Amino acid sequence: VVEPPRVTRGPKSSTFSEGGELELSCSTTGQPAPTIEWLINGEPLQRSSNVEIKGSSLFISPVEKRHAGIVQCVATNEYGSHSGYTIVRVNPKQHIGGKRNKQENNHNLPGIQKHTRDGGHRNNKEIYNRRDNVLVPPNQPNVTRLSDVSVMVRWSVPENDGLPIQFFKVQYRELGHKSGKQSKWMTANMEIPNHVRSFEVEPLQPDHWYKFRIAAVYSNSDNRLSKNSAKFHLTRMNGFETNSKPIPLLTNTEAVASDKVLLMWQNPDRSADIDGFYVYHRASTSAGDYIKTTVEGKNSTNVTISHLQPETTYEFKIQSFSVDAASEFSKIVSQKTLKAVTEPPVLQTALPDTFPKNAESARNGSVYAIVGGAVGGAALLAVLGAIFYVYKRSSIKQNRDVSQNQ
């Protein structure tokens, strides 16, 4: 008797300490017996020095912050696949004796920048303004829950002719701090490329209220802030809960240029209440963070990802989202970009110095040729006439001598 696989008991929602040990397990059924695969945030886990997989159990030691998020147990046999998931939280190590490095290298962003007593930074801004360099800030961001400890922040920039933006930074602040004091704005480390309009913020605290804003850093190293987002409550999901958001099915990828890849997908449940899709990509050789692209609209089925490197293999994954949650990730699909097209060099032929430089020179040359030809022809006729004359006189003299002899 054959039976499609099914996860009958998913991994339990748990909180682990950074540097500690993690152990998760799931129960499955199916005939033939399914194989088990573990994924964290849509990325398959491979056995390594700190990751061990035994049957349907997962062991990680030591635990790292990157292990936080959505953990999936995927059961697969030849008749299908099924998954269960949970949220794993990782409590970071306490850093004693100084602030965490999240506030380093922030290009004097408001909220955390240091000012000299004479207000040097402010004076610089006034100079930029007097020079009429227009700095157009990003629009107010929108926020979507991804997990118990993370959110996706999305924004846009109005069309404008102002100074170009070099990159973005995301800032966030916890509201209702227990001490009653106003919490400081925190700044995420990553410098977000100027063509990206979304960013995942983690780790956050579940059941807490937050506000978010976007800082744009311009070509003159000045910056402008967006309006603060609306207050956002990061809700907690407890236990093994079914995610109602449909998991998109990546159906096709196609390299359309040396820096562009077209992705196409299907939404298995068009009746689901979703706002759009998050598309993640990164180079296959990179272990860094994924770059996120937001595709608005529940009926969207494709997007072209640009600003890629030629002849490079990229990994892609996608999830649907609404304001309160996001789906599990699709399977990861790889695609290599095309080879860069180089224009053949234009061959230039060097002309000899004696070649006419322009039409005027050409006409002068023609005139000289005609005159020279005429003079030469006249000289030739003169020579021929002289020869004929001498020959004629010689003939007449010969005839006269013959007559006298007779």
Side-chain angles (χ1 to χ4, degrees), residues 68-140:
I70 300 174
V71 178
Q72 294 171 258
C73 167
V74 183
T76 305
N77 66 15
E78 57 188 289
Y79 297 101
S81 64
H82 186 255
S83 67
Y85 84 99
T86 190
I87 302 295
V88 167
R89 291 175 290 276
V90 176
N91 290 330
K93 292 181 179 178
Q94 297 299 318
H95 296 263
I96 301 174
K99 296 181 180 179
R100 297 177 64 185
N101 62 0
K102 278 200 170 188
Q103 297 184 4
E104 296 178 357
N105 191 25
N106 287 308
H107 295 263
N108 298 322
L109 296 181
I112 57 174
Q113 63 182 4
K114 296 181 179 179
H115 292 283
T116 58
R117 294 187 64 183
D118 60 358
H121 292 292
R122 296 185 183 274
N123 291 338
N124 287 340
K125 292 182 181 179
E126 291 171 3
I127 291 172
Y128 289 135
N129 290 336
R130 287 200 298 270
R131 292 176 182 172
D132 296 325
N133 288 335
V134 180
L135 307 178
V136 179
N139 290 326
Q140 182 183 32

Side-chain angles (χ1 to χ4, degrees), residues 190-262:
M190 182 175 177
E191 294 183 357
I192 305 164
N194 57 9
H195 64 275
V196 176
R197 297 292 187 272
S198 56
F199 183 75
E200 181 179 355
V201 179
E202 62 174 351
L204 302 175
Q205 297 296 320
D207 288 331
H208 284 230
W209 290 87
Y210 291 91
K211 277 191 176 183
F212 301 83
R213 66 186 185 188
I214 309 301
V217 180
Y218 299 85
S219 57
N220 61 0
S221 296
D222 201 353
N223 61 76
R224 286 292 182 272
L225 291 171
S226 70
K227 293 182 179 179
N228 295 345
S229 70
K231 290 195 301 183
F232 184 84
H233 181 232
L234 185 54
T235 57
R236 182 196 298 270
M237 295 175 63
N238 295 315
F240 175 50
E241 302 180 24
T242 301
N243 192 329
S244 60
K245 305 303 176 188
I247 304 174
L249 177 63
L250 268 172
T251 57
N252 191 37
T253 62
E254 179 182 352
V256 295
S258 60
D259 62 342
K260 296 179 181 178
V261 169
L262 171 65

Side-chain angles (χ1 to χ4, degrees), residues 1-171:
V1 178
V2 298
E3 179 186 0
R6 184 168 184 82
V7 177
T8 57
R9 181 180 60 80
K12 292 182 179 180
S13 179
S14 304
T15 300
F16 302 92
S17 297
E18 182 182 2
E21 296 183 351
L22 175 152
E23 181 177 352
L24 295 174
S25 63
C26 62
S27 298
T28 63
T29 60
Q31 189 63 36
T35 58
I36 305 299
E37 182 181 27
W38 288 90
L39 293 82
I40 291 184
N41 297 323
E43 186 174 356
L45 276 176
Q46 305 294 336
R47 288 183 173 86
S48 64
S49 59
N50 68 329
V51 176
E52 185 179 0
I53 300 174
K54 291 184 178 180
S56 59
S57 297
L58 170 67
F59 304 91
I60 299 179
S61 179
V63 175
E64 302 173 15
K65 286 185 290 186
R66 63 188 179 90
H67 296 133
I70 300 174
V71 178
Q72 294 171 258
C73 167
V74 183
T76 305
N77 66 15
E78 57 188 289
Y79 297 101
S81 64
H82 186 255
S83 67
Y85 84 99
T86 190
I87 302 295
V88 167
R89 291 175 290 276
V90 176
N91 290 330
K93 292 181 179 178
Q94 297 299 318
H95 296 263
I96 301 174
K99 296 181 180 179
R100 297 177 64 185
N101 62 0
K102 278 200 170 188
Q103 297 184 4
E104 296 178 357
N105 191 25
N106 287 308
H107 295 263
N108 298 322
L109 296 181
I112 57 174
Q113 63 182 4
K114 296 181 179 179
H115 292 283
T116 58
R117 294 187 64 183
D118 60 358
H121 292 292
R122 296 185 183 274
N123 291 338
N124 287 340
K125 292 182 181 179
E126 291 171 3
I127 291 172
Y128 289 135
N129 290 336
R130 287 200 298 270
R131 292 176 182 172
D132 296 325
N133 288 335
V134 180
L135 307 178
V136 179
N139 290 326
Q140 182 183 32
N142 296 314
V143 185
T144 300
R145 180 191 183 279
L146 290 180
S147 71
D148 281 6
V149 294
S150 63
V151 300
M152 184 73 79
V153 181
R154 318 188 310 276
W155 65 93
S156 62
V157 178
E159 292 290 334
N160 66 87
D161 296 323
L163 285 178
I165 295 173
Q166 292 190 83
F167 57 86
F168 298 100
K169 286 275 194 174
V170 174
Q171 294 185 321

Side-chain angles (χ1 to χ4, degrees), residues 225-331:
L225 291 171
S226 70
K227 293 182 179 179
N228 295 345
S229 70
K231 290 195 301 183
F232 184 84
H233 181 232
L234 185 54
T235 57
R236 182 196 298 270
M237 295 175 63
N238 295 315
F240 175 50
E241 302 180 24
T242 301
N243 192 329
S244 60
K245 305 303 176 188
I247 304 174
L249 177 63
L250 268 172
T251 57
N252 191 37
T253 62
E254 179 182 352
V256 295
S258 60
D259 62 342
K260 296 179 181 178
V261 169
L262 171 65
L263 301 181
M264 289 172 278
W265 65 85
Q266 293 179 355
N267 180 1
D269 184 5
R270 289 187 171 271
S271 64
D273 184 18
I274 60 174
D275 297 324
F277 303 88
Y278 293 136
V279 178
Y280 299 71
H281 76 273
R282 72 177 182 186
S284 297
T285 56
S286 169
D289 295 332
Y290 281 90
I291 296 176
K292 293 87 176 176
T293 302
T294 302
V295 183
E296 302 283 353
K298 63 182 297 182
N299 295 322
S300 301
T301 58
N302 64 84
V303 68
T304 298
I305 305 297
S306 58
H307 299 86
L308 305 178
Q309 296 297 318
E311 290 190 284
T312 303
T313 301
Y314 286 86
E315 298 175 348
F316 300 91
K317 61 183 180 180
I318 185 172
Q319 61 182 168
S320 64
F321 74 89
S322 66
V323 69
D324 59 341
S327 73
E328 297 179 37
F329 286 100
S330 69
K331 285 287 189 177

